Amino acid sequence: MKKPIVVSGLKPTGKLHLGNYLGAIKQYIDFQKDPKIDNFFFIADYHALTQKYNASEKYDEIIEMIADMLSLGIDPEKATLYIQSDILEIANVSWLLGNVISAGQLQNMIEFREKVEQGQPASCGLLNYPILMAADILAFKASFVPVGEDQRQHVELARDAARNFNKRFGETFPVPQGIYVKGLRIKSLDDPSKKMSKSLPKGCLYLSDTPETLRKKVRSAVTDSGTEIVYDPENKPALANLLTIYSEFSNRPIKDIEKDHKNSSYAVFKDALADVLIDELSDFQERKAGIIKDKENLRKIFSEGSDKARAIAAGTLKEMKQKTGLF
Ligand code: ADP
Ligand code: TRP
């Protein structure tokens, strides 16, 4: 029996932050633990080019992200790791899928509109972003796609693409299912109404932040009125966000953390949170410093992964070409 396939990608557009880790990568690691699943994790480098960037920095960003993935515990023995642009077949699959996706649907994508509003050029690359993402998923006939909540609309489009293609050309793709961490959305530390994002650097905790920076950012996080440490996302969204981060990083239920801090002030609670983050992230940073030194080994891991991924994507492309009437 074929194992169910999990596919997910990370876009190398800057340093990883806590939202990326808790919203996406932590799930990869859970999937990877399950021997009944075949995992494919990749660097979405073509997607990264859909927004303004500096070409002289991109290569280093890609290397950093590869090292991040490995240092966070993604294991090449348990998952196939590759770079999107190494698998030429994916762009071909994307072209074929373009014919079963409507232009209107692309123009209505929230992320497209947001990016353009934020000043990104309304390029065809940015508009077609979701088709390429559908190809990333369908080229491997994935059943599950672990991503952050904000990717839901893109996953829905990939589901539509699978259904439309199957309807028009015969059963080809399983309809992939998005896996969203309990709706987890880490909020910006300086504005809990916004998600933590690299576009809001002040409220963003990076995995590479030094202990001093982490402590400083946590200490200056906005808090809500009142003094009690209780989880109340409605009335105390800033504190609820900090408790969520604490719980995710310490792997302890929020209830226990509330109990520990029953009599704590916000300041004491924040310092305890900073301690947890510093502890975990220092270990990660140490591992990464070792891993990134050996670039040859990084290349080897990713080129072995690419060979495996390419063979699968080539099989799907061949099937699609036959079904769509090509030679
Ligand atoms: P950013 O918003 O900082 O540009 P990306 O768009 O590169 O981050 O997101 C990479 C992954 O991390 C996606 O799967 C996304 O859903 C997830 N993610 C990003 N920010 C958050 C957040 N604040 N909370 C939860 N998940 C997030
Ligand atoms: N769009 C995703 C993000 O911004 C990255 C991505 C590209 C992806 N292709 C994918 C995620 C395929 C899952 C599956 O995070």
Side-chain angles (χ1 to χ4, degrees):
M1 255 268 287
K2 255 188 77 188
K3 294 181 188 177
I5 289 175
V6 165
V7 169
S8 193
L10 291 173
K11 211 168 40 184
T13 49
K15 300 181 290 183
L16 285 177
H17 57 74
L18 240 63
N20 302 141
Y21 172 57
L22 300 177
I25 303 173
K26 211 169 166 215
Q27 299 189 79
Y28 295 3
I29 298 173
D30 291 340
F31 274 111
Q32 187 185 264
K33 286 189 195 133
D34 186 344
K36 293 191 292 303
I37 283 184
D38 215 355
N39 292 290
F40 292 79
F41 301 130
F42 67 97
I43 304 279
D45 56 346
Y46 273 163
H47 277 117
L49 307 190
T50 60
Q51 56 197 66
K52 289 182 200 156
Y53 72 100
N54 189 336
S56 65
E57 287 168 5
K58 196 49 77 188
Y59 180 82
D60 286 340
E61 279 181 357
I62 293 170
I63 294 280
E64 288 277 334
M65 189 149 287
I66 290 174
D68 281 333
M69 279 170 100
L70 297 172
S71 320
L72 288 169
I74 295 178
D75 179 353
E77 300 286 322
K78 298 192 182 127
T80 304
L81 309 183
Y82 53 97
I83 314 268
Q84 181 186 41
S85 68
D86 268 353
I87 317 296
L88 305 182
E89 288 75 7
I90 292 175
N92 281 261
V93 169
S94 170
W95 185 262
L96 293 175
L97 291 176
N99 298 320
V100 296
I101 292 171
S102 79
Q105 208 174 350
L106 294 177
Q107 275 155 349
N108 282 328
M109 287 277 138
I110 298 167
E111 191 167 314
F112 175 71
R113 286 167 174 263
E114 276 179 0
K115 288 261 148 73
V116 173
E117 254 168 49
Q118 288 161 11
Q120 296 294 342
S123 65
C124 291
L126 188 61
L127 183 69
N128 290 333
Y129 180 116
I131 311 185
L132 181 59
M133 181 157 161
D136 291 327
I137 298 167
L138 300 186
F140 298 92
K141 302 197 174 180
S143 298
F144 303 108
V145 184
V147 276
E149 182 65 35
D150 61 340
Q151 294 298 308
R152 188 181 284 274
Q153 208 187 14
H154 290 161
V155 175
E156 285 303 320
L157 184 128
R159 289 163 61 80
D160 286 346
R163 286 193 206 97
N164 295 347
F165 190 96
N166 291 346
K167 202 162 151 212
R168 179 147 169 221
F169 301 110
E171 203 54 34
T172 309
F173 299 111
V175 177
Q177 196 186 323
I179 307 286
Y180 311 96
V181 212
K182 312 170 237 129
L184 187 75
R185 225 166 209 263
I186 304 299
K187 306 295 187 327
S188 175
L189 294 197
D190 58 355
D191 181 355
S193 70
K194 304 221 167 80
K195 75 161 198 165
M196 183 178 286
S197 167
K198 50 184 158 298
S199 45
L200 297 169
K202 257 179 60 204
C204 187
L205 295 170
Y206 291 103
L207 301 184
S208 57
D209 278 344
T210 61
E212 298 73 44
T213 308
L214 286 168
R215 197 173 296 280
K216 205 168 128 208
K217 284 186 183 167
V218 172
R219 279 188 179 158
S220 52
V222 295
T223 34
D224 318 274
S225 54
T227 49
E228 233 187 321
I229 309 291
V230 283
Y231 182 77
D232 180 358
E234 281 279 305
N235 300 309
K236 294 181 164 226
L239 183 60
N241 187 43
L242 297 180
L243 278 164
T244 304
I245 296 174
Y246 198 138
S247 160
E248 289 290 331
F249 261 84
S250 57
N251 282 320
R252 293 176 61 214
I254 289 181
K255 280 266 156 280
D256 289 4
I257 300 164
E258 281 176 338
K259 234 184 265 159
D260 286 356
H261 288 278
K262 213 166 154 249
N263 299 313
S264 300
S265 62
Y266 279 159
V268 168
F269 166 73
K270 282 175 165 178
D271 262 340
L273 169 59
D275 288 342
V276 168
L277 291 173
I278 290 167
D279 206 35
E280 285 291 315
L281 292 179
S282 308
D283 285 352
F284 155 76
Q285 289 167 7
E286 218 169 282
R287 277 194 303 278
K288 183 172 168 186
I291 285 175
I292 206 162
K293 269 196 216 135
D294 191 352
K295 303 240 177 8
E296 241 351 275
N297 187 43
L298 298 183
R299 194 183 300 281
K300 185 165 160 276
I301 291 170
F302 274 69
S303 73
E304 281 171 10
S306 290
D307 290 344
K308 185 174 166 203
R310 191 174 301 115
I312 298 170
T316 307
L317 178 62
K318 189 169 173 202
E319 183 184 352
M320 288 174 80
K321 285 177 81 172
Q322 280 165 354
K323 290 190 169 162
T324 50
L326 295 177
F327 188 63

